[in-house]
Structure formats: C-alpha cells, structure tokens
Amino acid sequence: MNILHLTTHVNLGGITSYIGTLSKAMAKSGHQSSVVSSGGSATVHLTRSGVSCYEYSIRTKSELNPKLYWALPQIARLVKEEHYDILHAHSRVTQVLAYFVSKLTGVPYVSTAHGFYTPRIGRRLFPAWGERVVAISTLVSEELSNAHRVKHERIRMIHNAVDLDVFLKRFGQQDRAFLRNRYGIPKDAIVLGTLSRLVRDKGHEFLLKAAKKLLPEFPNLYILMVGDGREKENLERLIRAWGPHAKIIPGVQDTTAVFSVMDIFVHPATYREGFGLSIAEAMIAGLPVVATDIPAINTLLSDGLNGRVVKPKDADALASAIRDLIKDPAKARSLAEKGRETALSICQPERMAREIEQVYLEVLKEK
C-alpha cells in the first residue's frame, strides 16, 4: 500500500514518533509511507528513514483557517499523482483536511485519536473521523464512543509502540557520567526524572513538593524535568524558591539520553492520559517508575508488581513511594525488571503495524 499521513507539523512529540515508528514497521511488509505537514525538526530524520515528506502551510489550530483550503487543491493533486491508497490523519485539523482531500480524490481516510478531544460544536456538526478511528487506549476508545458518538464498529483500539531496535541500541550507547556532567547534575545525585509537556495536568508541582519533603533525608536528591510548555515559568519560579536541586531542560529528539541519567522515573499526572508513552519508554530503559493512579496509566502499571502507583495530587504519597524505592534498591530493581517486561510486550512496532494494516485493508475492501 501507498500511505499518506497528514499532521500539522513534524516537530518533537508523540504524533511524529508514532508516524515514524509505524512507517518503519510498515516498510518491512513492503508498504510505502509519506507525510504531509507544515514541516518541522524531524523532517530530516523521517526522510532518512525512507518516509517522503511534503510541506504545505497547514499549521493552524483552527479547521476554519483559510490556509487549509488554499493548500487543499495542491494536496489533492499530490494524492492523485502519487497514487496513494489511503490517507491517515493525526489531528483535528488534518482530519478535516483529509475529509476534503478524500472527497476530491476518492481515496479513503482513517484517523488516530492520540488523546482526548473536547466535543465542541464544530466537531459535533462535522465529525470528520474517517472510515475508521484508531484509539491508542481503551479509555480513548470509550471517550470516542460516549462523548463523540462514534459508532463502536468504526473504532479500533491499537496501543502505541516504540521503535525498539533504535531505542535499545541508542540507550546502550549512552555515557551516563558524561551526560550527567553535560546536564550539570552531580555524579552522586539520586535523580528523579520526568518527561512530558509542562502543563498543569502533568502534576510537576507535586513532584517538587514531594522532593522537598525528601531532601532532608536524601540531600543528594536531584530533579530533572524534560519538556516544554506553558507551565515552564511557574515551575522555574518554584525551583528558584526551593533551591539548586532541580532543573528543566527542553524536550529532546533522543529520549534515551535523558533516561540514562535518571535513577527513578516519576509521572505525577493529575488527570487521565491517552496512553503514557514516556512511561513505557522509561520502563523499557529499565527505570523503576512511580506514577499516579489515573486512566490509562493504571492499565500499564500495577502497584507493587511492575512499578509504584499512588493517589494523584498527593505529595505525601508520592514522597513515600519514592522513599521506598531509594531505601530498597533490590525492590526497585525487581519492579524495574518486571516493568521492562510489561512495556516490551506491549510496545512491539510489528504488532502495531500489523493491526493498523488490518484497519487499512478493512477500509479498502469497503471502497
């Protein structure tokens, strides 16, 4: 099959990673993948991996933005000239774009729901989900059905995957001591790390509060937050008030570098997650994980079996779970090993590609 993915940009983030991992796995079965976007930092990486990248000015948060409709004839022409078999949209804006491209070309489209969407009036009146909708977790699948009235028979729940070959190779090549020095982290520090967008729902402030409670007992504790977002200034203010034992660094293309300097991965999110890709990657990297008891994280982690799961917005519970792992290294290693087994079994890219290939084939049969 000749597949065209549509997304507003290919900068760092879950959607770009998803497209890259899926495209590479699909190529092993002889399928060719391309991407239409407004470009971004991952364009070179995608191109080198065999994914054709086409750039149009479609980066917007509004499906009513005129730039989408200016680009529409050009994208439709591309679809016809390159003989694409199916379109795969990855955001609300590109779902709408895919709808019109499909109407102009006769090429069917599907979409992936990478998270949760507000059922605004525009989406209710003009859903544009495609012939099938891939939900990245059971919770996302349920929301599509309940909040957006997507028919159950059109939804396919398919977990995310990680490019394991690349991830494990890169992780094995990282120099922990060198990277700690580069990031300005003391070599003897106990590093609590987190990687996510810097937004309130991710609960970073509760990690800082928990760490402050632990600092008298563990004076070499250090917090490393990786990501970008609107909460950055507020978190930096809290860090300045707390002291020099924490820092924020921007999001990175290669997450194995930051995982290699961490001792414990903490995800203190306060609200539901679509899947929890950073948690899965931390587990694959062999880190013990402390996270909050929210959907869909609690389907990935089981408290005391493959990680620690605590009540959200509870700095005391978070501190207690972290303390237990620091004081009992054998327990931390055991949880990390079991967590790694869990994530490796779930995040196989060949499994994701096989399941999505089946979705494409279903749609093409109905054409």
Side-chain angles (χ1 to χ4, degrees):
M1 284 179 282
N2 198 8
I3 305 146
L4 181 63
H5 294 277
L6 297 94
T7 185
T8 47
H9 64 82
V10 287
N11 289 317
L12 291 176
I15 290 176
T16 302
S17 175
Y18 180 98
I19 292 171
T21 300
L22 175 59
S23 298
K24 181 179 177 181
M26 294 287 282
K28 292 179 180 179
S29 298
H31 305 302
Q32 175 62 45
S33 301
S34 303
V35 182
V36 157
S37 76
S38 61
S41 57
T43 298
V44 173
H45 172 73
L46 288 168
T47 302
R48 285 176 179 169
S49 64
V51 179
S52 300
C53 295
Y54 300 95
E55 294 185 14
Y56 300 91
S57 181
I58 59 170
R59 186 164 187 178
T60 174
K61 292 184 178 181
S62 171
E63 62 267 43
L64 299 176
N65 193 306
K67 67 168 66 176
L68 290 180
Y69 305 98
W70 293 336
L72 179 58
Q74 301 170 63
I75 297 172
R77 186 162 55 250
L78 172 72
V79 170
K80 290 179 180 179
E81 290 175 352
E82 297 298 324
H83 305 289
Y84 289 106
D85 298 299
I86 197 154
L87 312 175
H88 192 154
H90 296 274
S91 67
R92 167 59 178 167
V93 164
T94 53
Q95 284 169 358
V96 172
L97 185 60
Y99 172 87
F100 287 112
V101 173
S102 179
K103 288 295 183 185
L104 289 173
T105 63
V107 177
Y109 78 106
V110 302
S111 63
T112 291
H114 291 274
F116 306 99
Y117 305 93
T118 304
R120 295 191 176 94
I121 185 70
R123 190 176 280 281
R124 290 200 298 270
L125 294 174
F126 186 38
W129 291 108
E131 304 303 317
R132 295 290 187 279
V133 190
V134 175
I136 63 171
S137 69
T138 302
L139 190 67
V140 172
S141 176
E142 290 171 355
E143 194 209 45
L144 287 169
S145 180
N146 297 332
H148 298 284
R149 301 292 185 264
V150 180
K151 291 181 180 179
H152 180 73
E153 59 267 25
R154 291 173 57 203
I155 302 170
R156 298 292 181 270
M157 198 286 288
I158 300 175
H159 282 307
N160 278 353
V162 174
D163 189 339
L164 296 174
D165 292 340
V166 171
F167 186 93
L168 293 172
K169 180 180 179 181
R170 286 178 176 172
F171 186 75
Q173 293 172 340
Q174 301 298 350
D175 185 327
R176 178 181 170 93
F178 171 80
L179 288 167
R180 281 201 170 193
N181 182 63
R182 190 177 82 179
Y183 292 134
I185 300 172
K187 62 181 180 180
D188 63 342
I190 301 170
V191 179
L192 309 180
T194 190
L195 188 158
S196 67
R197 288 178 296 115
L198 304 181
V199 294
R200 290 188 66 84
D201 286 353
K202 300 301 182 181
H204 295 87
E205 63 180 288
F206 294 98
L207 172 56
L208 289 175
K209 289 176 181 177
K212 191 172 183 180
K213 293 175 184 293
L214 293 167
L215 195 58
E217 190 175 356
F218 306 103
N220 59 336
L221 204 63
Y222 196 97
I223 311 300
L224 179 64
M225 297 180 181
V226 184
D228 303 281
R230 56 182 176 271
E231 278 294 294
K232 183 178 180 181
E233 288 186 12
N234 180 50
L235 291 169
E236 287 178 335
R237 178 181 58 79
L238 292 174
I239 289 171
R240 286 194 297 270
W242 180 41
H245 298 273
K247 75 184 306 180
I248 298 171
I249 64 172
V252 292
Q253 181 77 45
D254 181 7
T255 58
T256 63
V258 292
F259 287 133
S260 72
V261 304
M262 298 176 185
D263 294 296
I264 299 172
F265 186 81
V266 186
H267 193 79
T270 63
Y271 193 47
R272 61 188 182 179
E273 290 277 358
F275 175 69
L277 184 60
S278 65
I279 297 173
E281 289 186 337
M283 294 163 76
I284 293 167
L287 291 170
V289 174
V290 179
T292 41
D293 187 9
I294 60 171
I297 292 173
N298 49 22
T299 62
L300 188 63
L301 288 171
S302 297
D303 189 42
L305 294 177
N306 60 1
R308 291 300 314 273
V309 181
V310 302
K311 182 181 176 182
K313 300 184 181 181
D314 190 336
D316 289 327
L318 198 61
S320 178
I322 293 168
R323 179 186 293 109
D324 287 348
L325 294 179
I326 295 173
K327 297 185 80 169
D328 191 345
K331 180 179 180 181
R333 283 194 298 272
S334 175
L335 292 176
E337 287 169 5
K338 290 174 182 175
R340 191 170 189 269
E341 291 173 6
T342 300
L344 285 172
S345 67
I346 291 173
C347 296
Q348 292 287 336
E350 290 77 17
R351 183 270 314 155
M352 180 174 77
R354 186 170 59 251
E355 293 175 4
I356 289 183
E357 179 186 49
Q358 185 57 43
V359 173
Y360 293 163
L361 291 173
E362 286 178 17
V363 171
L364 291 172
K365 271 185 186 177
E366 295 172 358
K367 186 179 174 185

